Structures are given as C-alpha cells and as structure tokens.
Amino acid sequence: MAPSSGRRAPSAAELEQRNTVGINKETVTNTVSDAYPDNYANEEHAWDKEDFRRAFHVQFHQNDQFEAQFSLIGIDASIANAFRRIMIAEIPSLAVETVFVNNNTSVIQDEVLAHRLGLIPFTGGKKGLREFMGFWRKPGPEEDAYATTFDSNTVSLKLAAKCTRNSDAPKDATDPRVLYNNAHIYARDIIFEPLGGQAKWFSGEDTIRPVNPDILIVKMRPGQEIDIEMHMHKGFGWDHAKYSPVATASYRLMPTITILRPILGADAEKFAQCFVPGVIGLEKVTRQEARAKGSGYEGHEGELKAVVKDPMRDTVSREVLRHPEFEGKVKLGRRKDHFIFSVESAGQWDSDELFMESVKTLKKKCGLLRPQVSNMVQTF
C-alpha cells in the first residue's frame, strides 16, 4: 500500500535490517515480528493483498516423491508455522487402529506388539484412499461392535506365522534366519484381505501394503507363533502420531552471511573451514578489484579471497565468531520472512502433495472463520 499523506516509506537498507534476525557471538537479536500498523512512526504497514501477492513466492529446491525441500518467501512466521502444524496433524492417513490377538507366544507382549503394528506406515491406491475410504465411527454403547464397520471405512489385515526348525540348515550355521523358519517377521508378511468393493480400488500396484516391507516386527524361536488380525482406519495426527502423514515437517530461517571487510589468503581458507562445505567459496582477486580504490583489495591481485557462495547450506553454528581475526569482518543473520521447509512423507502422500493439501486445509479454516469474524463485527 502506498504511504498515506504525512508518512514516509522506509529505505531498502532499513527494511533489510528490520527483516534480519541478528546472530551474535552470545546473543540473538531482532527476533520479534514488527511489520504491523503504527509500530514505526510516520510509516504505513497495513496489510495489502497486492503487496503480498508481489512479495510472496514459493521456490522448490528438492522435489522427490517422499522428500521435498522448498522455500516460502515473503510470509509471516505464524502462517509458515500453520502450514507445518497442518502437515503434521491435520491431513488424514490410514493406520492400524484395532488389533485382534488370536495367539501370541512370542516374547513381545500383546500391547507392545499392537503398538509396533500401529506405527508401521502403509500405502495403497491414492484414489481409493482419498475418495473411497471414509472415516470410521466408534459404535455407541447400545450398538453392535461391528455396526459401524464397512468396506468404505475399514481395511482388514492378517499376520500369521509359526517359527520352526529348518531341517535343511547347514550344520555350521549360526544365523537364526538360517537355522529357523520364520525367525524374523517383517512388515512384508502382513497380508491385506480386501472386503466388499475394496478389490476394485486396491489391487495390483494399488494394493494396501507397507511403505517399507523390511520393517522388523518380531523375532521368534521354534515353538513360538503369532496369529493376529488388524483393522485400519483413517485418522488425524492430532489424535495419534501414527496417523501423521509425515515423518518430519520442519522449517528454518534462511541464513545471511555478510562479509564486511576483505578476507584474504590463509585467513580466507580458515574462514571457509568455519562453515559447512559449499557455503563459502574461494576466488582470486581480479585486476579490476585490485585497482579499485577503497575496495580493500589494492595490491592483492591474484590472492585468494573469501566469498559467500551458498548461504542456504549454513547451519549458523557461529564458529566463525570465535576467532578474533574475523572480528568486525563478518555479520551473521537470518531472514525473518524466508522459511526453508523440509518435508519427508511417511508414504501415503507425495511430499509436494502434503504442502498443497495444507494450503487447502488452511483455506477451509479461513472460510469457516470468516463468517464468524463478520458476525462478531456486526454484533459489536
């Protein structure tokens, strides 16, 4: 929004300073958000949609199926954190909810085994998971235990195995997996049993299956066996972590590294070693730089100088601030409005889909809140 009468627009240098968290040797400064009306005298900071549209953008750095890294630039921490929390707790996924233990003579207690099964991430046909599968409702006190269980809200799984001796094992074998049959039971041993119309949605490559088939569930020895049936339901991470569609969803602020005075020669090499590899580069001082008066490079043509190459790699360890030779030569910080997200999907959603789904969820929340705010304004 253009400054109103009697108000001034802050300079680019002022805005940059306000938008940077100061990283000092022992303190962190300028951490509070201050971009709101009347915080600065004679300045206009009212939120404007067009200004936000111009400033905000999304930049993807990595976009693999189950792992993504992207930047949200030009938003407030509250909005960035809302996306993070939604991805963790408010996007539904399918997980084991009820475990029926018919037999378990392994060393793992029933409740511990049920807990392990609940935390195994599963996947299946996306269309079936999102369009066909609905939410299961717990039966009322006077209803039958299966009154609310249908093929559209419950997935049935089975795990049955018995450990026996392997008569063909070599005499010198010591590995239990060679000596015995079914010594180790893995997630791949879980069998999906389609019910009703589920075969139409979950067959072939779209069948319900563990994301990682090599997850170890239990170890057994001859004479021990397990016979288990499981029911899977849709749920949200705010109810239990097993329903969270992400393994990790976090963000960090974009680091800034400003070299205030030239750092040359051996100091430049030491300076680069204070950061993660790739953050600081070493370049030779050019003839033009050496001839420029006041550049600090006079008489140093051909020497190595330190330059900032990729600040996004920096972990902001502040190691460089421990060395007296760099005092007053470098300034560290973080941008307040640049959030670098790291999202790792648990398997049911692609990593970039999770972010788009979080945007949809936030829009729905805003749609519910908007009439309430309007009613509140009209009431008062």
Side-chain angles (χ1 to χ4, degrees), residues 98-358:
T98 308
V99 177
F100 304 93
V101 182
N102 300 320
N103 191 14
N104 175 26
T105 57
S106 71
V107 296
I108 298 183
Q109 298 93 333
D110 293 354
E111 59 271 24
V112 177
L113 183 57
H115 186 263
R116 290 176 66 85
L117 292 168
L119 292 176
I120 295 175
F122 284 80
T123 187
K126 292 182 179 180
K127 195 170 183 179
L129 290 173
R130 299 172 196 178
E131 297 181 13
F132 176 71
M133 295 300 298
F135 290 90
W136 177 78
R137 177 181 63 83
K138 186 176 181 179
E142 298 181 358
E143 290 182 298
D144 181 78
Y146 298 101
T148 60
T149 300
F150 305 100
D151 61 343
S152 60
N153 62 18
T154 302
V155 172
S156 179
L157 305 173
K158 187 174 180 61
L159 177 62
K162 183 176 182 179
C163 183
T164 59
R165 295 187 181 276
N166 181 10
S167 58
D168 298 327
K171 292 183 179 181
D172 58 346
T174 57
D175 189 342
R177 291 170 294 182
V178 177
L179 289 170
Y180 315 123
N181 300 313
N182 296 323
H184 292 181
I185 305 302
Y186 296 92
R188 60 174 171 265
D189 298 315
I190 297 175
I191 299 172
F192 165 55
E193 298 181 326
L195 305 172
Q198 291 179 357
K200 173 184 175 182
W201 301 90
F202 305 114
S203 60
E205 294 181 354
D206 292 334
T207 189
I208 299 292
R209 64 197 182 278
V211 175
N212 185 349
D214 297 325
I215 296 175
L216 180 63
I217 299 174
V218 62
K219 294 181 180 181
M220 298 194 298
R221 292 299 178 263
Q224 297 178 350
E225 65 177 304
I226 55 174
D227 184 2
I228 294 171
E229 296 178 27
M230 294 160 275
H231 283 179
M232 300 179 70
H233 302 303
K234 254 186 175 183
F236 293 96
W238 49 258
D239 181 40
H240 194 285
K242 66 185 178 185
Y243 291 119
S244 180
V246 297
T248 58
S250 61
Y251 64 75
R252 59 191 177 95
L253 295 178
M254 178 69 173
T256 62
I257 305 169
T258 306
I259 297 177
L260 304 175
R261 289 188 291 165
I263 303 175
L264 303 166
D267 282 351
E269 295 179 0
K270 183 177 180 180
F271 184 79
Q273 293 175 356
C274 293
F275 297 86
V276 173
V279 174
I280 301 298
L282 299 176
E283 298 179 358
K284 289 185 178 181
V285 176
T286 64
R287 179 175 297 180
Q288 290 77 8
E289 290 172 331
R291 289 179 176 180
K293 294 183 180 180
S295 65
Y297 297 118
E298 298 96 325
H300 296 284
E301 181 181 347
E303 292 187 30
L304 290 177
K305 65 174 181 177
V307 295
V308 179
K309 188 176 179 181
D310 187 3
M312 194 178 78
R313 292 174 175 263
D314 187 26
T315 59
V316 195
S317 66
R318 295 190 274 193
E319 167 67 19
V320 68
L321 301 181
R322 296 177 58 248
H323 302 280
E325 58 265 41
F326 303 131
E327 188 172 350
K329 292 185 177 181
V330 61
K331 185 178 180 181
L332 304 181
R334 286 183 182 269
R335 280 192 58 183
K336 287 183 180 180
D337 67 344
H338 189 149
F339 300 86
I340 306 170
F341 275 77
S342 295
V343 178
E344 182 182 350
S345 170
Q348 282 186 32
W349 296 78
D350 289 351
S351 53
D352 56 348
E353 290 178 331
L354 286 167
F355 172 63
M356 297 306 298
E357 195 67 20
S358 70

